């Protein structure tokens, strides 16, 4: 389709009118965080929804709210318990910041979220867009958001070229977002923009024929909506290797807690040999260095886990020991019943990263006949 230079985006008032009309008929109104709205519930949902789809978030959100119904309950919980509720959602820094932020709100703000965007954005893990979502949805303040969905919608309507990770592009999108944000119904406006991006102006297949902005969208007029927003310049993801030692004695697995920050920070994992693809041979060397004899050693199938910035190839080796060594490592560690580690996340007291939970399942299947019920 040729570029139609007569296409002009709507004025803010007409933009809002068209959006509300669409939202009232087609928006989502029964998501769990749209019930009993308060800053705490909105905040938790916004953090969970970063980098994660609504359908995946819903069960996590419900379990989280059952266990931590208030910011006070979350602040008082142990980090292990918070991470256990996050196990499988990924991007664990979000959970650690969530916990830290709850403690800041309780200790420094008397348990109430501050009622302005700037103060909200100073809390741990809350950026400008999340602060805007909390302020508009739960406080009715005139505050803008610019999450991934909104960036996409606005970049398309205005044909804003370039990758939004670049400051100039982000600034242009923020200006547009602020221009359109109304003084009334700000919560509905925020929700409507997110819904439009998630359900209609989707990344791969925008349903332009059903869009309230179809006749005013420059990218549509150009015939190339999926060219917006511009993509991040591509870099190949590097591959890393690790040998993971699943040390077991009579149905109990030895785990160590990762340091609080960094990869899988605060979560519990078996000992790992970093930058090592030796598998069983490396496990043998490790046992010899520790002066330990194994009853049985068995390599398990290679497991690839992809993080945002690299692939991790995990070479798991199951090592059955005839007795528990007195000391394996410095730092927090312990022996845990495999059956208990294999329980649903809501019943866990330890945070396990998703690939470790998978390996536990394999180990339980392998050891099934020998494991006592927990
Ligand atoms: S017309 Fe198409 S590309 Fe433009 S905002 Fe609507 S769905 Fe997105």
């Amino acid at each position: 389709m040729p570029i139609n230079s007569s296409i002009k985006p709507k004025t803010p008032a007409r933009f809002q009118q068209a959006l509300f009309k669409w939202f009232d008929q087609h928006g989502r109104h029964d998501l769990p965080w749209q019930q009993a709205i308060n800053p705490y519930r909105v905040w938790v949902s916004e953090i969970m929804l970063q980098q994660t789809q609504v359908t995946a978030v819903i069960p996590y959100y419900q379990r989280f709210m059952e266990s931590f119904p208030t910011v006070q309950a979350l602040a008082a919980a142990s980090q292990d318990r918070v991470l256990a509720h996050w196990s499988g959602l990924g991007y664990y820094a979000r959970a650690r910041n969530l916990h830290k932020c709850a403690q800041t709100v309780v200790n420094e703000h008397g348990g109430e979220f501050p009622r302005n965007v700037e103060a909200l954005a100073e809390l741990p893990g809350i950026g400008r867009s999340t602060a805007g979502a909390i302020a508009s949805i739960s406080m009715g303040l005139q505050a803008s958001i610019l999450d991934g969905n909104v960036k996409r919608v606005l970049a398309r309507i205005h044909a804003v070229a370039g990758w939004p990770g670049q400051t100039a592009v982000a600034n242009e999108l923020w200006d547009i977002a602020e221009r359109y944000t109304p003084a009334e119904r700000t919560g509905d406006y925020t929700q409507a923009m997110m819904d439009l991006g998630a359900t209609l102006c989707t990344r791969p297949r925008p349903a332009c024929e059903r869009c309230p902005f179809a006749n005013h969208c420059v990218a549509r007029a150009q015939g190339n909506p999926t060219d917006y927003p511009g993509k991040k310049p591509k870099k190949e993801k590097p591959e890393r290797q690790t040998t993971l030692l699943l040390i077991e004695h009579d149905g109990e697995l030895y785990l160590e807690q990762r340091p609080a920050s960094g990869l899988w920070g605060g979560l519990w994992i078996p000992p790992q040999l970093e930058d090592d693809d030796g598998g069983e041979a490396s496990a043998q060397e490790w046992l010899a260095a520790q002066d330990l004899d194994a009853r049985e050693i068995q390599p398990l199938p290679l497991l690839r886990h992809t993080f945002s910035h690299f692939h991790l190839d995990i070479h798991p080796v199951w090592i059955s020991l005839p007795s528990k060594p007195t000391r394996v490592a410095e730092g927090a560690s312990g022996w845990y019943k495999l059956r208990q580690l294999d329980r649903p996340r809501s019943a866990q007291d330890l945070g396990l990263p998703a690939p470790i939970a998978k390996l536990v399942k394999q180990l339980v299947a392998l050891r099934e006949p020998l494991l006592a019920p927990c």
Side-chain angles (χ1 to χ4, degrees):
M1 197 189 290
I3 295 176
N4 182 344
S5 58
S6 67
I7 287 285
K8 294 267 184 304
K10 289 174 185 279
T11 61
R14 294 184 72 108
F15 184 96
Q16 294 152 13
Q17 217 176 16
L19 185 67
F20 284 140
K21 190 166 170 223
W22 175 84
F23 178 65
D24 291 341
Q25 279 180 12
H26 305 288
R28 297 176 290 190
H29 301 274
D30 48 10
L31 297 170
W33 44 90
Q34 292 174 315
Q35 323 306 318
I37 290 176
N38 65 33
Y40 173 68
R41 290 174 58 84
V42 171
W43 164 61
V44 173
S45 73
E46 287 297 320
I47 302 295
M48 284 191 174
L49 287 165
Q50 290 167 3
Q51 282 115 357
T52 314
Q53 300 275 333
V54 165
T55 42
V57 162
I58 288 174
Y60 279 91
Y61 182 82
Q62 286 168 329
R63 281 196 297 265
F64 202 90
M65 282 300 148
E66 272 166 31
S67 297
F68 314 115
T70 62
V71 69
Q72 286 81 3
L74 179 57
S78 70
Q79 191 188 69
D80 274 342
R81 200 159 144 67
V82 176
L83 288 171
H85 280 70
W86 208 271
S87 292
L89 261 184
Y91 301 97
Y92 294 95
R94 292 184 296 173
R96 293 193 297 273
N97 276 330
L98 199 77
H99 191 218
K100 211 188 300 170
C101 181
Q103 292 172 336
T104 307
V105 169
V106 168
N107 296 334
E108 295 176 23
H109 297 275
E112 298 286 338
F113 282 80
R115 293 189 68 83
N116 71 73
V117 173
E118 292 72 25
L120 282 168
E122 279 178 18
L123 292 169
I126 298 188
R128 180 174 169 189
S129 183
T130 304
I134 299 168
S136 58
I137 297 174
S138 70
M139 302 171 185
L141 300 175
Q142 186 175 17
S144 304
I145 65 156
L146 194 64
D147 69 356
N149 284 320
V150 178
K151 279 180 196 157
R152 188 166 60 250
V153 172
L154 295 181
R156 287 175 176 174
I157 292 176
H158 286 260
V160 176
W163 173 51
Q166 290 165 307
T167 311
V169 180
N171 286 346
E172 189 177 346
L173 291 171
W174 270 113
D175 286 347
I176 299 169
E178 287 182 340
R179 213 179 314 143
Y180 285 137
T181 305
E184 305 285 328
R185 288 190 74 182
T186 54
D188 282 353
Y189 176 84
T190 294
Q191 189 64 55
M193 285 299 283
M194 295 194 290
D195 283 5
L196 191 97
T199 65
L200 201 145
C201 189
T202 61
R203 192 176 299 278
R205 274 181 295 283
C208 301
E209 64 293 348
R210 289 189 279 120
C211 178
F213 305 117
N215 296 327
H216 297 264
C217 173
V218 183
R220 187 189 186 214
Q222 290 176 348
N224 60 350
T226 52
D227 285 354
Y228 298 94
K231 301 209 172 21
K232 184 179 180 178
K234 265 217 160 144
K235 263 204 255 154
E236 280 292 304
K237 276 189 192 182
E239 293 173 356
R240 292 194 204 161
Q241 311 286 328
T242 189
T243 293
L244 211 58
L245 308 174
L246 301 162
I247 303 169
E248 184 243 325
H249 169 72
D250 281 354
E252 292 187 30
L253 187 67
Y254 174 75
L255 295 176
E256 295 173 349
Q257 190 174 31
R258 299 276 306 164
S261 59
L263 195 68
W264 290 333
L267 300 184
W268 291 77
I269 67 167
Q272 63 165 338
L273 309 176
E274 291 187 33
D275 298 322
D276 185 296
D277 60 359
E280 186 177 352
S282 301
Q284 297 277 18
E285 276 175 34
W286 183 86
L287 284 166
Q290 305 281 324
D291 211 13
L292 292 172
D293 283 322
R295 192 157 48 187
E296 207 174 332
I297 297 190
Q298 186 176 318
L300 301 182
L302 176 88
L303 183 64
R304 169 165 279 205
H305 186 71
T306 297
F307 292 91
S308 55
H309 51 301
F310 67 95
H311 301 291
L312 183 65
D313 284 339
I314 301 172
H315 304 264
V317 184
W318 165 52
I319 301 171
S320 171
L321 292 184
S323 61
K324 289 181 189 172
T326 44
R327 186 104 199 111
V328 181
E330 297 300 320
S333 61
W335 291 86
Y336 298 92
K337 284 193 170 39
L338 277 168
R339 277 225 190 279
Q340 281 180 354
L341 294 172
D342 193 33
R343 290 189 308 183
R345 289 188 181 105
S346 54
Q348 290 286 0
D349 291 323
L350 290 184
L352 298 182
I356 306 303
K358 241 187 243 177
L359 289 170
V360 164
K361 221 167 242 331
Q362 282 183 31
L363 221 48
V364 169
L366 199 71
R367 304 289 281 142
E368 190 71 55
L370 298 174
L371 298 181
C374 65

